[in-house]
């Protein structure tokens, strides 16, 4: 196309060249103009109009100097000359704009040559502030094609093809873009060029080729140039416009803009969007979806499907307000949320949302406005199902409230103490106990309040319960702390326990406190009372002990009692006492009757008066306003009664003893005195028998023998009785008695009976006991005689002994006839017998005598028996105190 004249037909039709240039030039951003041979504007582009601010009508026909600096205007006149030698030129000037400003710009001018003559100029105006070109940049390589000069300047690849699709021109930029040489492609068929030369360079050659087939529309598409040896890889935007007039009418002008940067950014964005989308799709915990600017759902992820229950197909396109409850919709909440997101960029909300099945869940929702270059694109909405968490939080809150409530309503003061002594928590009760204002309880620091120990000594902070727990790590219980020792004297019982974490040192200590002032007062009173009682009890015990002995002479007893009595009183040193029982009286040394006294009296059954009189020896007015306590009065009354009881009993015992003695004397006297007349009866009966025996008939002799027998029986009864009455009065002194020896003696005496009855008597080893040897001999004799007597066959008898405490239990066991259970008591009475004399001879006094002997030895006797099988008589006898043998 080299020598083709771009303005070739300008003479024929003035408008054609204008249109032609405009078509091309309008695709270029810079202002392009054409001047006629006289330097007047005959065509300008829209960009020129915009740049200068003058309308096209104002400019056309005007001389170039009306718009440019005067000097520069003159330069245009020189141009004609200059251009003849120098094909084109660029210079800086200033354009006068419509509003009078002078706008600096570069102006590039190229001569238009027609038929060897310069026929006007064509130029490009570029404002300097645009900075698109350096003002001093050297002019582009001169070519014969003026338009190409202009076009080459632009960063735009340009290819012009004629109606036969032959390339007629290609600019430098396009050469670089496609990696071709102008000389190789001009004149070639465009399709061939694309196929053969640039086939591989155009990523979408078909799209490019197709446009050529349909040559009427403005085409626009993007294509990718792959990198090659002569070219860089890049993205181009292709625009082509059909040329309707001029030399290439029916051809096209194709422009290629480098859009690599934009395209790469775009691709990167697409790629990251894809990555992001796949990420978002996979998230299940969150519903993540996009809304368009109106609030319609445009995307949907797995989480959204799971949480909201809609599948993608059914929800896309729906308005997002379906997720809201009816009430929220009625209150216009969805729209408000969108509005807020639009205005502030983001909105976060928590509330009930509705699933596809109508169920609701508690949701946390964020809506973020998505903007590109400030323009709202839609919204991203993220929804989380918080139902579980909300429930957990609700429960936690509930628990916390409960604990809080327990803490606050607890009747026990509770505080949590930090290692530095400050309080991290304290309840109302604690505040009350420490007398702090309730709201300040937690501001309390140990040491603020003085505390004292049980002895009233000041408690330094480090010795208080909480600090001791910090030190030892061990809990502490029931520590008594005194507050206000000089005032209200309030007592607290304090417990403290460490709160530890994994066996480390205590982080905090829980301290609880309860007020025990009342309790302590009560306890102390009780203690005092107890002490008093103990004192009284001791006195009473003493009195009972003293009085029990009974052996002591009355005077001595009373003296001992009265000497110890003051010790039971509050001030023993200043207390004196006097006790009298009947005619007996005993008093402490310092006793003198006084005004300050208390007295108690009692009488025995025999009307013996008992008096206890207690006096204060020295008077001390401050303590003696009430010289004696009521308890003390009660004590001596008790003691008086006790003393009266004692003497009453003593009197009774004395009487009994006297009575017994009288009876014994009577029995003794009676039996002793009866012996004499009985002996006389017996003597005379013997005399009758001897002298007149043979004169009596049988009856007479029989009667006489009855009388003799009766007298004999009477004698043994009287003897028994006599013996019985003498047990107490005529008994020997007690001494250790070897029962083995005693038994040996008895058995010797009974030898004849034993042989007669063919009895077998066995004995275990018997102890030595404390007693009256002859009475014990009597005892064994009676028991063994009975054992031999009350037996049907050959008697088997066993004697044994068993230690029981201070006593020996000695038993005589036979296999005889036995005794009916109801008779076991009666047989120990005097003259009580169970059998006739014909069957078993006896007086009925043996066991009575045994009982009396045992009783004299401070023991008991009893029988265990079974009729037909035998009897065991047992008795207790005192062991010998020293060796117990
Ligand atoms: P007596 O002189 O009749 O033996 P005791 O006082 O010794 O008087 O005994 C009183 C009664 O107890 C006896 O009459 C006899 O009936 C009964 N008795 C005493 N010892 C035994 C015995 N070992 N076995 C059965 N009965 C006995």
């Amino acid at each position: 196309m080299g020598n083709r004249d771009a303005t070739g037909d300008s003479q024929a039709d003035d408008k054609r060249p204008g249109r032609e240039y405009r078509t091309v030039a309008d695709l270029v951003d810079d202002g392009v103009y054409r001047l006629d041979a006289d330097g007047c504007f005959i065509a300008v582009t829209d960009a020129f109009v915009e740049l200068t601010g003058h309308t096209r009508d104002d400019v056309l026909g005007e001389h170039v100097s009306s718009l440019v600096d005067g000097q520069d205007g003159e330069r245009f006149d020189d141009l004609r000359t200059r251009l003849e030698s120098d094909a084109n030129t660029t210079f800086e000037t200033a354009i006068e704009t419509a509003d009078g400003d002078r706008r600096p710009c570069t102006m590039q001018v190229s001569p238009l040559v027609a038929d060897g003559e310069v026929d006007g100029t064509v130029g490009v105006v570029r404002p300097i502030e645009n900075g698109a070109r350096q003002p001093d940049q050297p002019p582009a390589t001169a070519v014969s094609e003026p338009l190409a000069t202009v076009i080459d300047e632009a960063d735009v690849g340009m290819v012009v093809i004629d109606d036969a699709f032959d390339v007629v021109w290609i600019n430098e930029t396009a050469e670089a873009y496609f990696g071709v040489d102008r000389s190789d492609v001009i004149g070639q068929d465009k399709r061939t060029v694309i196929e053969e030369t640039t086939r591989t360079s155009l990523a979408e050659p078909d799209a490019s080729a197709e446009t050529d087939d349909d040559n009427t529309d403005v085409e626009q598409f993007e294509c990718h140039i792959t990198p090659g040896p002569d070219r860089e890889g890049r993205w181009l935007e292709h625009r082509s416009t059909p040329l309707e007039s001029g030399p290439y009418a029916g051809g096209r002008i194709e422009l290629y803009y480098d859009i690599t940067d934009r395209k790469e950014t775009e691709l990167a964005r697409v790629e990251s969007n894809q990555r992001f989308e796949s990420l978002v799709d996979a998230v299940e915990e969150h519903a993540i979806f996009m809304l368009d600017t109106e609030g319609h759902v445009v995307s949907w992820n797995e989480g959204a499907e799971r949480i909201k229950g809609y599948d993608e197909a059914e929800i896309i396109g729906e308005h997002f307000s379906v997720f809201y409850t009816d009430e929220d919709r009625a209150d216009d909440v969805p729209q408000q949320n969108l509005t807020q997101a639009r205005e502030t960029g983001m909105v976060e909300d928590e509330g009930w949302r509705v699933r596809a099945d109508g169920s609701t869940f508690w949701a946390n929702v964020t809506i973020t406005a998505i903007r590109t270059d400030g323009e709202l694109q839609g919204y991203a909405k993220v929804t989380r199902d918080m139902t579980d968490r909300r429930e957990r939080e609700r429960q936690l809150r509930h628990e916390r409230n409960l604990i809080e409530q327990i803490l606050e309503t607890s009747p026990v003061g509770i505080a949590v103490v930090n290692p530095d002594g400050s309080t991290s928590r304290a309840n109302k009760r604690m505040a009350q106990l420490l007398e702090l204002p309730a709201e300040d309880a937690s501001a309390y620091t140990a040491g603020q309040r003085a505390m004292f120990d049980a002895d009233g000594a000041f408690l330094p902070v480090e010795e208080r319960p909480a600090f001791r727990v910090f030190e030892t790590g061990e809990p502490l219980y029931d520590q008594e702390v005194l507050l206000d020792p000089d005032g209200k004297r309030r007592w607290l019982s304090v417990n403290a326990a460490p709160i530890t974490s994994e066996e480390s040192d205590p982080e905090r200590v829980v301290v609880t406190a309860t007020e025990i002032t009342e309790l302590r007062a009560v306890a102390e009173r009780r203690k005092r009372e107890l002490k008093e009682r103990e004192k009284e009890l001791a006195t009473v015990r003493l009195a009972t002990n003293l009085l029990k002995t009974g052996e002591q002479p009355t005077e001595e007893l009373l003296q001992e009692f009265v000497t110890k009595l003051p010790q039971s009183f509050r001030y023993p040193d200043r207390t004196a006492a006097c006790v009298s029982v009947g005619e007996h009286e005993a008093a402490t040394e310092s006793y003198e009757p006084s005004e300050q006294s208390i007295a108690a009296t009692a009488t025995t059954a025999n009307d013996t008066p008992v008096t206890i009189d207690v006096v204060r020896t020295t008077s001390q007015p401050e303590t003696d306003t009430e010289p004696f306590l009521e308890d003390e009065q009660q004590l001596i009354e008790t003691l008086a009664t006790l003393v009266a009881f004692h003497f009453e009993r003593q009197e009774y015992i004395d009487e009994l003893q006297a009575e017994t003695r009288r009876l014994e004397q009577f029995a003794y006297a009676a039996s002793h005195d009866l012996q004499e007349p009985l002996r006389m009866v017996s003597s005379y009966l013997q005399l009758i028998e001897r002298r007149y025996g043979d004169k009596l008939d049988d009856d007479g002799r029989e009667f006489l023998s009855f009388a003799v027998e009766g007298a004999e029986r009477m004698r043994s009864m009287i003897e028994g009785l006599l013996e019985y009455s003498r047990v107490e009065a005529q008994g020997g002194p007690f001494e250790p008695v070897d029962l083995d020896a005693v038994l040996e003696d008895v058995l010797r005496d009974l030898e004849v009976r034993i042989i007669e009855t063919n009895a077998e008597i066995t004995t275990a080893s018997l102890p030595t006991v404390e007693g009256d040897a002859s009475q014990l001999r009597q005892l064994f004799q009676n028991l063994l005689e009975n054992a031999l007597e009350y037996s049907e066959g050959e008697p088997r008898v066993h004697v044994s002994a068993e230690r029981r405490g201070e006593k020996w239990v000695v038993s005589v066991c036979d296999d005889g006839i036995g005794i009916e259970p109801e008779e076991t008591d009666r047989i120990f009475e005097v003259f009580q017998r169970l059998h006739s004399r014909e069957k078993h001879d006896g007086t009925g006094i043996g066991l009575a005598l045994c009982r009396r002997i045992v009783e004299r030895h401070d023991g008991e006797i009893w029988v265990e028996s079974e009729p037909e099988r035998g009897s065991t008589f047992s008795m207790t006898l005192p062991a010998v105190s020293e060796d117990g043998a």
Side-chain angles (χ1 to χ4, degrees), residues 248-317:
Y248 311 119
R252 291 184 82 88
I253 177 157
E254 295 178 343
L255 298 173
Y256 294 94
Y257 296 89
D258 186 347
I259 54 161
T260 309
D261 286 353
R262 196 191 81 205
K263 197 70 187 170
E264 274 171 3
T265 319
E266 217 172 84
L267 285 174
R269 192 162 60 224
V270 167
E271 203 179 315
S272 97
N273 278 352
Q274 279 167 352
R275 269 206 306 270
F276 176 69
E277 273 166 26
S278 64
L279 189 82
V280 161
D281 278 347
V283 172
E284 285 195 19
E285 287 74 38
H286 297 71
I288 301 173
F289 51 98
M290 302 287 292
L291 304 176
D292 65 14
T293 53
E294 301 299 312
H296 296 102
V297 177
V298 294
S299 79
W300 199 241
N301 79 336
E302 297 235 338
E305 186 168 332
R306 196 183 63 81
I307 292 172
K308 293 186 184 281
Y310 292 97
D311 62 28
E312 192 169 349
E314 64 181 316
I315 198 65
I316 295 283

Side-chain angles (χ1 to χ4, degrees), residues 253-426:
I253 177 157
E254 295 178 343
L255 298 173
Y256 294 94
Y257 296 89
D258 186 347
I259 54 161
T260 309
D261 286 353
R262 196 191 81 205
K263 197 70 187 170
E264 274 171 3
T265 319
E266 217 172 84
L267 285 174
R269 192 162 60 224
V270 167
E271 203 179 315
S272 97
N273 278 352
Q274 279 167 352
R275 269 206 306 270
F276 176 69
E277 273 166 26
S278 64
L279 189 82
V280 161
D281 278 347
V283 172
E284 285 195 19
E285 287 74 38
H286 297 71
I288 301 173
F289 51 98
M290 302 287 292
L291 304 176
D292 65 14
T293 53
E294 301 299 312
H296 296 102
V297 177
V298 294
S299 79
W300 199 241
N301 79 336
E302 297 235 338
E305 186 168 332
R306 196 183 63 81
I307 292 172
K308 293 186 184 281
Y310 292 97
D311 62 28
E312 192 169 349
E314 64 181 316
I315 198 65
I316 295 283
E318 290 296 325
H319 194 262
F320 85 118
S321 59
V322 298
F323 307 137
Y324 286 77
T325 60
D326 291 345
E327 298 90 74
D328 280 353
R329 274 205 299 276
D331 293 345
D332 205 22
V333 174
Q335 196 49 52
Q336 282 166 10
N337 282 348
L338 277 200
T339 308
Q340 199 183 334
R342 194 173 61 235
E343 284 169 1
T344 64
M346 206 268 276
V347 64
E348 186 167 359
D349 182 26
E350 251 185 43
W352 293 109
R353 292 292 186 276
V354 184
R355 296 195 186 92
D357 62 6
S359 62
T360 55
F361 65 99
W362 186 263
N364 171 284
V365 179
T366 54
I367 303 177
T368 311
I370 306 292
R371 290 178 187 277
T372 306
D373 299 332
E375 183 133 346
L376 183 70
Q377 305 296 315
Y379 302 91
K381 197 174 167 205
V382 179
T383 303
R384 277 190 295 161
D385 184 349
M386 307 284 280
T387 315
D388 288 351
R389 192 198 290 187
R390 186 179 143 89
E391 178 58 21
R392 267 203 310 281
E393 281 174 0
R394 204 187 59 73
Q395 273 173 7
L396 266 174
R397 224 171 14 248
H398 180 73
E399 292 280 302
R400 213 178 41 230
N401 288 345
L402 190 69
I403 290 170
E404 188 72 12
Q405 234 175 352
I406 290 170
L407 193 71
E408 277 312 318
T409 51
S410 163
V412 174
I414 301 172
V416 181
V417 180
N418 300 320
D420 64 359
S422 62
T423 308
S424 65
R425 191 63 224 267

Side-chain angles (χ1 to χ4, degrees), residues 86-104:
D86 192 359
N88 80 28
T89 184
T90 302
F91 59 93
E92 271 185 43
T93 184
I95 297 271
E96 210 173 295
T97 61
D99 39 37
D101 284 339
R102 291 168 57 76
R103 197 164 183 191

Side-chain angles (χ1 to χ4, degrees), residues 782-783 786-787 789-790 814 816-819 827 829 832-835 840-848 871 873:
N782 288 1
L783 291 174
N786 282 350
E789 175 66 37
Y790 301 104
D814 65 51
I817 60 172
I819 303 159
I827 55 170
E829 305 283 327
Q832 292 297 328
R833 312 194 63 239
L834 303 179
H835 306 282
H840 296 284
D841 195 21
T843 58
I845 209 153
L847 286 178
S871 313
F873 284 83

